[in-house]
Amino acid sequence: MTKRLILSLGALLLSITVHAADSVNILVYHHVANDTPASTTISPAGFREHLQLLRDNDFTVVSLTDAVAALRGDTSIELPEKAVAITFDDAYENIHTNAFPLLREFEAPFTVFAATDPIDQNFQNMMSWDQLRDLQDWGATVTNHSRDHDYMVRHSPLDDAWLQAMVDNVNHAQQRLTDELGADVPRWFAYPYGEYNETLKQALRDEGYVAFAQHSGGIRADSDWGALPRFAAAGVYANPETLITKLNSRPMPVNQTALPDMLTPETRPSVTVELTDPSDMGQALNCFVDSSWVDAEWLGEARFKVTAPEALSDGRHRFNCTSQARSGAFFYWFSQPWLVQTDR
Ligand SMILES: [Zn+2]
């Protein structure tokens, strides 16, 4: 009897063990204001609505520091289920004025990626170093978004001199950040406009940076730490319903090393996605090229291919694919960013 009791107790304990989350979704904002460009802006009222939405739907806003550390193997940090990290690119002054009071009110940690020249040159509408120190003193993280917010891979030729200039650019910004904000500034980098290529990504990885891009999706231990996705949450992406769907999603288990370079001369680029564990994924894929639905082609149990159905213009594009999980009410999410440059 005792043995059976112990056995069933064991089974009970097993079934109620709460597993630490193995993925995190990161949001990226730019402006929080009423008078800035619509595509990269959310109003203060809209931003409050997002924070409330997260709270009402049991999401936990975690610091990106904890998220990165936990996913990279720091076992002293346990990520809660439904973990979300909040980031802001560019360090606009309206983040200090409009977003910071709300983030404090909701006790939501956050990260700001700052380009350092505009701050050094006291650009209007950008935070000052003092304002960035304010955020940092409260517990926010301020880190690297390059020196000058250049389009890093829209140069010609992309030779060794170019690569060295880009690495110098990022290292200069890192030096300025640590000079002004201290040694706690993490070695993280957000690509301006989310644009990169394999060469730059590898060089920054060799310099010890964790880098963030702007295609959609969550991150997990086997993500590409040289170009981590983040979900845009402003402009047309601010809609609460679609935001919740994204926040509930998990990264599709994909072999990252088999993915193509973001920078491509092809006008009809194509990606073949190798799934590392398709067991919880439904067979039905919902894929989009930018905002147009496209048929994905299965090439076996664990491989599918998506091709642009017609020529894409020069510039940035995205493929997004989702698949309904078998085990719960959420989607697996995959995104492939492209920078089409036909003159390559
Ligand atoms: Zn930016």
Side-chain angles (χ1 to χ4, degrees), residues 30 89-90 145 149 192-193 214:
H30 290 79
D89 280 9
D90 304 343
H145 194 33
H149 211 280
Y193 314 97
Q214 285 190 32

Side-chain angles (χ1 to χ4, degrees), residues 14-148:
L14 204 65
S15 65
I16 60 168
T17 300
V18 178
H19 292 285
D22 59 4
S23 67
V24 178
N25 288 318
I26 308 171
L27 298 178
V28 53
Y29 297 90
H30 290 79
H31 292 284
V32 176
N34 289 308
D35 54 358
T36 44
S39 65
T40 52
T41 292
I42 186 166
S43 67
F47 188 60
R48 170 184 283 282
E49 202 183 333
H50 279 192
L51 292 171
Q52 191 64 49
L53 192 75
L54 294 174
R55 182 176 280 180
D56 293 347
N57 288 276
D58 303 320
F59 291 98
T60 305
V61 181
V62 296
S63 77
L64 194 52
T65 310
D66 281 356
V68 166
L71 293 178
R72 302 206 91 183
D74 183 342
T75 50
S76 70
I77 299 164
E78 188 157 306
L79 283 178
E81 288 290 337
K82 303 182 80 166
V84 178
I86 295 177
T87 67
F88 300 90
D89 280 9
D90 304 343
Y92 293 112
E93 190 171 20
N94 55 51
I95 300 312
H96 190 273
T97 320
N98 299 331
F100 186 34
L102 294 169
L103 291 154
R104 262 186 318 212
E105 180 186 329
F106 281 82
E107 296 176 340
F110 62 100
T111 295
V112 173
F113 289 95
T116 54
D117 276 1
I119 301 165
D120 280 334
Q121 294 160 16
N122 301 313
F123 273 30
Q124 234 192 341
N125 305 327
M126 291 294 173
M127 278 187 264
S128 64
W129 288 114
D130 276 342
Q131 287 172 317
L132 288 166
R133 274 187 284 271
D134 263 4
L135 307 186
Q136 204 190 29
D137 288 346
W138 180 78
T141 302
V142 180
T143 185
N144 195 335
H145 194 33
S146 81
R147 169 177 191 162
D148 53 2

